[in-house]
Amino acid sequence: MTYVFATTNMAEVLKAPVFIEHLMEYDGNCVEFLVEHYDNHKKDQDWDTDQKLPFINPPVVLMVYAQLPETLFHIEKIKEFPVQQKNTFYQEKDFSGLYLSRIFQPPRHS
């Protein structure tokens, strides 16, 4: 709603009573009215009233010209650094579960 209020010309909003009055005079439903008046409307006997409807001829209030900057990028090849890694061999004794019996014990009642 904030975007609509910020971008809508107030003069067009004030034409709402003309829209409602012309809709009440129209012989048909609202969808037919909108299609006839806002989808390539052709000149007819009530052309002058049709030109007073909101958003038929909205004034150009603000024109924004935006140009994106030219994006240039360069991908450089990453220098490779050799990493020396020692092969580590583990012995089964390093993974003994005996130390777990000292850490995890059942709760005691004192």
Side-chain angles (χ1 to χ4, degrees), residues 22-59:
H22 197 50
L23 177 62
M24 300 299 274
E25 294 170 354
Y26 182 72
D27 295 328
N29 63 21
C30 184
V31 174
E32 292 170 354
F33 176 82
L34 291 173
V35 169
E36 182 179 328
H37 288 84
Y38 287 94
D39 186 29
N40 296 325
H41 184 54
K42 296 184 179 34
K43 210 169 203 179
D44 56 0
Q45 67 272 10
D46 63 346
W47 179 257
D48 293 331
T49 308
D50 295 343
Q51 294 304 305
K52 295 177 185 174
L53 290 172
F55 305 107
I56 292 289
N57 298 316

Side-chain angles (χ1 to χ4, degrees), residues 55-105:
F55 305 107
I56 292 289
N57 298 316
V60 178
V61 177
L62 176 65
M63 184 176 289
V64 177
Y65 175 74
Q67 181 178 0
L68 296 175
E70 187 176 335
T71 56
L72 297 174
F73 61 93
H74 179 69
I75 299 175
E76 294 183 16
K77 184 176 179 182
I78 299 174
K79 296 178 183 176
E80 295 181 14
F81 296 104
V83 177
Q84 294 179 357
Q85 183 177 3
K86 288 168 70 179
N87 291 334
T88 308
F89 297 100
Y90 297 101
Q91 302 296 326
E92 186 66 33
K93 64 181 175 111
D94 295 337
F95 292 104
S96 173
L98 296 176
Y99 69 94
L100 292 176
S101 63
R102 287 180 269 149
I103 297 173
F104 298 105
Q105 296 181 2

